[in-house]
Amino acid sequence: MSRRVAVYPGSFDPVTLGHLDILDRASVMFDHVVVGVLENPDKAPLFSARERVDLLRAAIGERPSVEVTSFEGLTVDFARSMGAIAIVRGLRVISDFESEFQMALMNRRLNADVNTVFLMTSFSNVFISSSIIKEVCRLGGSVDDVAPPVSVAAMRRKFGLDGSSR
Ligand code: PNS
């Protein structure tokens, strides 16, 4: 039987517990999940694509059914190059739906062979986003329970903060 591969694309700037939750859910549905870090020249991420890939790999650990890589260009082209049958995206709140729906329909128009699969995050993660945890961390608040330790440490280094947090 052929291997069912999915891609899980995103900015992951940096990886949060919400991302890891979606990855765990995708991992039980697909034989192989390729996490794709978008190298987007239009966005000004806190972490380089290389750093974001490294943080994801460190947060995920050794898992034969998961790989992490960066990509440029269209997600559907990335999916095709990985032999994926699906694009996984996480949904937190209703307001995520509109832009995700738009993106999914555009991706289907670009490549009808790849379906977008939306997975609901757990209730404890609905309020987590990379943007919000960066802001809270930058301003000295604790984000220990919403991001993996590697992300917290990397953000604190970027923001020039010491070991203590409020
Ligand atoms: O984590 P994000 O920032 O919500 O991820 C958005 C992402 C990377 C999935 C999206 O911007 C994307 O797919 N970009 C690649 C370019 C592309 O394929 N655009 C057309 C999709 S409609």
Side-chain angles (χ1 to χ4, degrees):
M1 207 177 82
S2 63
R3 209 166 69 131
R4 297 169 75 82
V5 179
V7 292
Y8 176 27
S11 301
F12 304 104
D13 185 40
V15 54
T16 68
L17 294 188
H19 294 132
L20 296 176
D21 175 16
I22 297 298
L23 179 62
D24 283 344
R25 292 171 197 282
S27 295
V28 297
M29 298 174 64
F30 296 94
D31 300 315
H32 196 72
V33 180
V34 186
V35 182
V37 173
L38 179 68
E39 290 196 47
N40 188 347
D42 299 337
K43 280 193 181 176
L46 178 63
F47 296 99
S48 70
R50 177 78 249 172
E51 290 172 320
R52 286 177 277 149
V53 167
D54 288 346
L55 288 174
L56 272 156
R57 286 184 182 153
I60 293 165
E62 199 50 51
R63 276 164 72 170
S65 64
V66 175
E67 76 180 88
V68 184
T69 188
S70 58
F71 75 100
E72 288 175 277
L74 290 173
T75 289
V76 287
D77 291 340
F78 171 59
R80 190 183 286 119
S81 73
M82 291 294 156
I85 56 165
I87 296 168
V88 169
R89 292 287 290 167
L91 283 180
R92 291 163 301 190
V93 284
I94 283 283
S95 54
D96 281 345
F97 182 75
E98 197 171 324
S99 58
E100 292 295 335
F101 187 49
Q102 199 176 22
M103 208 153 51
L105 290 182
M106 177 54 84
N107 283 334
R108 180 185 286 167
R109 194 179 145 270
L110 293 167
N111 183 349
D113 297 332
V114 179
N115 278 299
T116 299
V117 173
F118 292 114
L119 295 176
M120 247 64 79
T121 191
S122 64
F123 191 66
S124 56
N125 292 329
V126 289
F127 64 96
I128 302 177
S129 72
S130 294
S131 314
I132 209 162
I133 69 164
K134 278 184 287 193
E135 179 171 318
V136 171
C137 185
R138 180 171 57 81
L139 298 173
S142 170
V143 287
D144 294 348
D145 54 349
V146 288
V150 284
S151 292
V152 178
M155 283 187 291
R156 295 184 67 79
R157 275 197 303 276
K158 281 274 181 202
F159 296 134
L161 300 168
D162 63 20
S164 64
S165 68
R166 274 189 267 148

